[in-house]
Amino acid sequence: MQTSVTTIERFIVDQEHRYPEATGELSNLLYDIALAAKLIAAAIRRAGLVNILGTAGHRNVQGEEQQKLDVFANETIKNCLNHTGRVCVMGSEEDEDVIPVPPEYPVGKYAVLFDPLDGSSNIDVNSAVGTIFSIYRRVSMEGRGTVTDVLQPGCKQVAAGYVMYGSSTMLVYTTGQGVHGFTLDPTIGEFLLSQPKIVTPRLGQYYSVNESNFWRWDKGVQTAVRGLKGDMPDGMQPKNSRYIGSLVADFHRNLIAGGIFLYPADNRNTGGKLRLLYEASPMAFIAEQSEGSATDGINRILDIMPTSLHQRTPLVIGSREDVGFVADTIRRVAARNSGATVQPTL
Ligand code: AHM
Ligand code: MG
């Protein structure tokens, strides 16, 4: 039996102690998110048993209002964050506008964005889903927080992370000091440090993309994906394909094993499908902190200046050499069409 473990609370506090000027507010905010994750994990585990699945608005056998899990997850996160005095405003995939802190509670210095239950269509088939979160320091000078507090480029994030509700529940986060992974021990209800300082391989073994969109992509993306399969003279070794259709699970596998995830623009989703602020940016922060990288195909995700809460972006993320290969290929194909020459990224 283990007699010494590192809980997420101890780890977060130890990290913050390195900064004498730190007030502990960010530590507590991360801990609030970990609490929400435990509540969501418990609901997901019980989903089949208590018949929580179903359409929001339906009543269960007790006559209680049934909530879809994504509605439940959204309300849980809001309720864990809105009364603490640490947050000034929130943004969620499930809410059209920014979410103010209720007037009876104090506001704090952080703005939090989240996708409460990403990949939620996977719940119906008992596959992995996740929660993604992103934290910024407040920039508005007065009042109780506004949309300007969430419309910040990813490079301004002070923390980001995700929770994966898979065969076990994992929380992975960064505050800009590396990426650290914790596994929920359900017997004691604590997230325990399981993967400190995650470093993703420079070159991956997997590529993850919804290839049913192949004919909807432009030529540069098609050529790059062919290249990932080894279909390019003097190109890379063929990679193995893995695609769950749940960003957190696809990203997590590639983070640990090495690989690249792509959700490019296509002729139906011309700006990409995934959301910049609470899907792409937090994952990009984690990718870079684990020595990987993230682009929209060409440009660094963390440099994109958002203009709206639910803005979409193409996303190419994962092992550094693979992401560079895709950018080089897209550029080369574009240059071939225009007659220009290009310098490689790496
Ligand atoms: P969601 O936010 O509606 O759950 O959609 C996001 C999900 C991601 O988890 C996943 O990477 C992607 O959509 C899969 O899309 P597709 O089914 O088009 O491959
Ligand atoms: Mg989502």
Side-chain angles (χ1 to χ4, degrees):
M1 291 287 265
Q2 235 176 325
T3 58
S4 173
V5 291
T6 304
T7 63
I8 194 166
E9 185 179 18
R10 174 176 161 193
F11 187 86
I12 291 171
V13 169
D14 283 353
Q15 276 211 322
E16 195 158 35
H17 278 164
R18 295 185 196 171
Y19 297 90
E21 71 284 3
T23 60
E25 267 178 83
L26 182 61
S27 296
N28 287 327
L29 176 52
L30 289 166
Y31 201 60
D32 297 336
I33 292 171
L35 172 63
K38 284 193 260 185
L39 294 169
I40 297 167
I44 289 173
R45 295 278 170 258
R46 284 196 306 264
L49 292 172
V50 298
N51 197 19
I52 199 169
L53 295 176
T55 313
H58 286 190
R59 292 187 174 271
N60 65 17
V61 283
Q62 287 86 29
E64 295 160 341
E65 173 102 335
Q66 249 185 16
Q67 290 181 314
K68 267 173 75 176
L69 274 173
D70 41 13
V71 179
F72 172 85
N74 193 36
E75 294 306 312
T76 300
I77 298 174
K78 287 194 266 186
N79 289 336
C80 284
L81 302 185
N82 67 7
H83 61 95
T84 61
R86 299 188 252 279
V87 172
C88 65
V89 72
M90 295 174 277
S92 164
E93 174 163 343
E94 296 290 327
D95 287 80
E96 198 170 328
D97 298 316
V98 285
I99 307 148
V101 170
E104 62 269 32
Y105 300 128
V107 292
K109 64 179 178 198
Y110 292 108
V112 185
L113 289 135
F114 46 88
D115 183 349
L117 208 60
D118 185 65
S120 48
S121 61
N122 276 286
I123 291 172
D124 296 345
V125 291
N126 208 6
S127 290
V129 288
T131 295
I132 309 172
F133 63 91
S134 165
I135 303 176
Y136 291 90
R137 205 162 273 119
R138 175 179 184 168
V139 288
S140 62
M141 304 303 263
E142 50 197 42
R144 293 178 62 83
T146 69
V147 72
T148 56
D149 297 311
V150 296
L151 293 185
Q152 301 190 50
C155 57
K156 298 278 186 198
Q157 289 172 102
V158 293
Y162 61 83
V163 184
M164 185 171 76
Y165 311 99
S167 48
S168 57
T169 299
M170 280 205 72
L171 189 152
V172 174
Y173 85 97
T174 183
T175 54
Q177 302 169 66
V179 176
H180 311 287
F182 299 80
T183 303
L184 182 63
D185 181 338
T187 60
I188 58 171
E190 288 279 4
F191 280 106
L192 303 179
L193 182 63
S194 51
Q195 278 142 310
K197 195 88 192 78
I198 297 170
V199 174
T200 201
R202 278 187 73 79
L203 187 66
Q205 45 178 316
Y206 297 119
Y207 77 99
S208 311
V209 66
N210 185 341
E211 263 188 289
S212 69
N213 292 327
F214 188 89
W215 300 110
R216 300 194 182 98
W217 298 331
D218 65 25
K219 192 87 190 133
V221 174
Q222 288 180 341
T223 309
V225 171
R226 284 197 163 118
L228 295 171
K229 294 198 269 199
D231 183 24
M232 201 182 267
D234 307 324
M236 50 172 52
Q237 291 294 310
K239 293 187 193 302
N240 222 332
S241 166
R242 291 282 186 281
Y243 190 72
I244 296 171
S246 181
L247 174 60
V248 169
D250 281 312
F251 176 85
H252 183 75
R253 179 198 51 246
N254 293 350
L255 176 76
I256 304 299
I260 182 170
F261 171 93
L262 307 90
Y263 210 112
D266 58 52
N267 63 15
R268 280 191 310 196
N269 303 298
T270 52
K273 176 186 177 188
L274 299 177
R275 312 295 181 142
L276 176 63
L277 284 170
Y278 42 79
E279 292 177 328
S281 277
M283 293 311 211
F285 191 17
I286 292 169
E288 289 199 4
Q289 281 293 314
S290 62
E291 300 181 14
S293 67
T295 70
D296 64 359
I298 302 277
N299 308 297
R300 184 179 178 231
I301 290 289
L302 295 184
D303 288 336
I304 299 174
M305 186 66 209
T307 53
S308 67
L309 177 58
H310 300 292
Q311 181 171 335
R312 296 175 194 267
T313 179
L315 178 63
V316 178
I317 190 166
S319 293
R320 183 167 289 271
E321 288 187 22
D322 296 326
V323 175
F325 167 82
V326 169
D328 290 344
T329 307
I330 291 173
R331 277 206 206 90
R332 224 183 28 251
V333 171
R336 202 188 301 143
N337 294 338
S338 70
T341 51
V342 283
Q343 296 300 318
T345 307
L346 295 169

